[in-house]
Amino acid sequence: MDIGGIVLLSLKVSGVAVIGTMPFAFLLAWALARGRFPGKMLLDALVALPLVLPPVVTGWLLLLAFGNNGPVGRLLNDHLGFTFMFRWTGAALAAAIMALPLMVRAMRLSIEAVDRRLESAARTLGASPLRVFWTVTLPLSLPGIFAGAVLGFARSLGEFGATITFVSNIPGETQTLPIAIYSALQMPGSEAAVTRLALISVALSLGALVLSELLARRFHEAKGRAHVL
Amino acid sequence: MSFSVDVERQLGDTHIAARFEAEGGITALFGPSGAGKTSVLNMIAGLMRPDRGSIRVDGTLLFDSATGVSLPPEHRRLGYVFQDARLFPHRRVRGNLLYGHHLARPEDRWMSLDHAVEFLGIGHLLDRWPATLSGGEAQRVAIGRALLSGARFLLMDEPLASLDRARREEILRVIEAIRDEMKLPILYVSHDRAEVDRLASSIVLIGE
């Protein structure tokens, strides 16, 4: 069992999942925090859905949509020659969907926490709405955005059900840490491997959480703000 | 400088209406709490849209419901000093002071950072974070920030309300100096009669 390869694959899948999801998560968080539109409650519920749905159902839905016979999957395959099926990119997509609710939630809270009166003050000082966004709203919500990214990363590292349903268990391609642990558990005499993989999992997740907390603190040391977790 | 304000706005159960002409100096908008004095300032600043009316400053039309003119706040060239200083918590004092200064067109800037710092006596605060300032210090920085943005006039919303007696006197002197030395017109909201009598050259009653 190639433990180094498994860890690297997991980090790659989670990293790509989080970086790819960031812009969408931020737009959704912004719409939910600031927007007023019909169907907002429905959008809110849809974003949160992967959190409460059995992961195997999320995986199956991904299979329906992005599988080679699914509407999106066929389109991608016909026009771009690209497929998620049985590829690490599919594992990243599954991880992204599962991480999305956590990321949106953290970002939304931090956007909602920005004092709108500071934005008004900036307007009277000559800033256009776009400039207010870049110089006031975004910097003030950065800790939450970082916290959301790190939480999403930690969630992605642990993703199992949707991934194994969607892209199966292929060593070197879709066999991430949790799936490797599951596989090892099926084989007699692999307790040592399971222990090692599990310890690495604990270390990575703990590291991610501590990192997000440190980032948030460092950011607001001088500004008298509380931590974000 | 002349102001010509005639605005109305329904806000929940409160009907806010103000109609006045004013020249330079300090014009106090005076009246009981909840009468909508702050809303009138917000309408002049462009932060709240009147249901009806017009706002003209020195011949420039800032708002007119009849013709649909409504300049956004960033083009009204005013400085707004709020009751709670509203400094940007993620910028040091220097960054706060220069925020509007950098956004103003060079020909609109009439005060330098050095001048403002000396005028307000805040040189020792430049590298501090807003969270570490006292109420009086924060309010002086907020006034400096408004002056440095190239404002043609100031709006002040109860700038002394959250200060203790000693700090009040300090800020009152600063406001008098802006009136007498800089000759900058100020629309000043207050519910404190003594404050208004001391500062204002004319009084507009709101909500009577």
Side-chain angles (χ1 to χ4, degrees):
Chain A
M1 187 168 271
D2 172 17
I3 289 185
I6 291 167
V7 172
L8 281 181
L9 175 69
S10 274
L11 292 175
K12 177 169 81 172
V13 165
S14 302
V16 167
V18 166
I19 291 167
T21 312
M22 284 283 272
F24 297 102
F26 187 78
L27 283 177
L28 282 166
W30 185 269
L32 290 171
R34 292 287 173 88
R36 267 185 289 171
F37 51 92
K40 182 171 163 179
M41 248 170 77
L42 186 67
L43 181 67
D44 197 3
L46 273 176
V47 169
L49 201 56
L51 213 54
V52 287
L53 213 58
V56 62
V57 174
T58 305
W60 179 69
L61 290 173
L62 283 171
L63 208 50
L64 285 186
F66 292 93
N68 285 339
N69 291 320
V72 187
R74 192 180 305 154
L75 221 74
L76 286 173
N77 207 355
D78 289 355
H79 294 281
L80 301 170
F82 179 86
T83 178
F84 283 112
M85 293 307 297
F86 309 115
R87 296 278 190 280
W88 71 270
T89 47
L93 177 64
I97 296 288
M98 298 303 289
L100 187 71
L102 285 175
M103 294 173 69
V104 171
R105 188 178 157 72
M107 292 181 186
R108 176 187 182 169
L109 285 177
S110 70
I111 294 169
E112 283 173 347
V114 172
D115 190 344
R116 302 291 298 265
R117 296 172 312 159
L118 292 173
E119 299 177 354
S120 306
R123 291 294 298 279
T124 67
L125 289 164
S128 64
L130 193 65
R131 191 177 290 274
V132 171
F133 173 79
W134 286 111
T135 59
V136 178
T137 321
L138 189 63
L140 286 177
S141 51
L142 267 187
I145 292 170
F146 275 120
V150 178
L151 277 179
F153 185 74
R155 177 65 187 81
S156 295
L157 279 177
E159 174 29 44
F160 175 76
T163 309
I164 202 167
T165 313
F166 181 35
V167 290
S168 181
N169 175 1
I170 303 166
E173 188 68 37
T174 68
Q175 194 184 67
T176 56
L177 259 174
I179 296 175
I181 293 174
Y182 176 77
S183 294
L185 279 171
Q186 309 299 305
M187 284 186 290
S190 55
E191 288 80 8
V194 170
T195 308
R196 244 175 294 164
L197 289 169
L199 282 175
I200 292 170
S201 271
V202 171
L204 284 176
S205 306
L206 204 62
L209 289 177
V210 169
L211 178 70
S212 86
E213 192 65 16
L214 283 178
L215 272 175
R217 260 190 222 169
R218 194 191 175 106
F219 237 94
H220 277 290
E221 230 163 30
K223 284 144 252 181
R225 276 257 208 117
H227 49 92
V228 285
L229 276 183
Chain B
M1 169 155 284
S2 66
F3 298 88
S4 170
V5 175
D6 175 14
V7 289
E8 274 181 57
R9 157 108 195 196
Q10 191 68 32
L11 209 63
D13 291 335
T14 319
H15 182 73
I16 298 157
R19 182 173 199 161
F20 63 91
E21 310 273 327
E23 295 298 317
I26 296 183
T27 303
L29 307 186
F30 181 73
S33 302
K37 302 186 294 293
T38 300
S39 298
V40 174
L41 278 199
N42 284 339
M43 287 190 264
I44 295 169
L47 298 176
M48 180 189 278
R49 198 184 170 87
D51 293 333
R52 193 207 62 73
S54 67
I55 301 164
R56 189 183 291 274
V57 176
D58 245 7
T60 311
L61 198 57
L62 301 186
F63 177 84
D64 184 32
S65 58
T67 54
V69 171
S70 181
L71 280 186
E74 63 268 28
H75 293 151
R76 296 195 179 196
R77 291 198 56 205
L78 51 87
Y80 199 150
V81 179
F82 304 90
Q83 180 178 334
D84 50 337
R86 291 199 202 177
L87 299 178
F88 302 123
H90 58 302
R91 289 171 182 254
R92 292 174 195 268
V93 166
R94 184 193 308 274
N96 269 280
L97 287 169
L98 289 174
Y99 185 87
H101 196 63
H102 286 153
L103 292 173
R105 288 181 305 183
E107 64 267 30
D108 291 342
R109 299 176 194 147
W110 51 266
M111 194 183 214
S112 67
L113 179 65
D114 289 344
H115 182 191
V117 164
E118 195 206 325
F119 174 72
L120 296 159
I122 51 177
H124 58 298
L125 304 176
L126 283 176
D127 291 321
R128 298 257 296 269
W129 293 101
T132 69
L133 301 181
S134 71
E137 288 170 338
Q139 203 55 286
R140 272 187 285 165
V141 174
I143 291 172
R145 184 177 69 170
L147 292 173
L148 281 167
S149 71
R152 294 181 300 162
F153 61 100
L154 296 183
L155 306 174
M156 293 192 167
D157 184 13
E158 310 243 18
L160 310 178
S162 48
L163 305 179
D164 61 46
R165 185 180 284 275
R167 303 293 154 254
R168 271 171 193 237
E169 185 54 34
E170 249 176 50
I171 300 295
L172 270 169
R173 291 215 191 102
V174 168
I175 294 171
E176 283 171 333
I178 293 171
R179 178 189 66 190
D180 302 334
E181 291 168 31
M182 299 181 179
K183 312 273 186 219
L184 205 63
I186 302 175
L187 298 181
Y188 190 97
V189 157
S190 176
H191 66 273
D192 183 319
R193 186 79 220 192
E195 209 175 291
V196 166
D197 284 342
R198 172 165 166 185
L199 291 173
S201 45
S202 61
I203 296 179
V204 177
L205 294 174
I206 306 275
E208 297 285 295

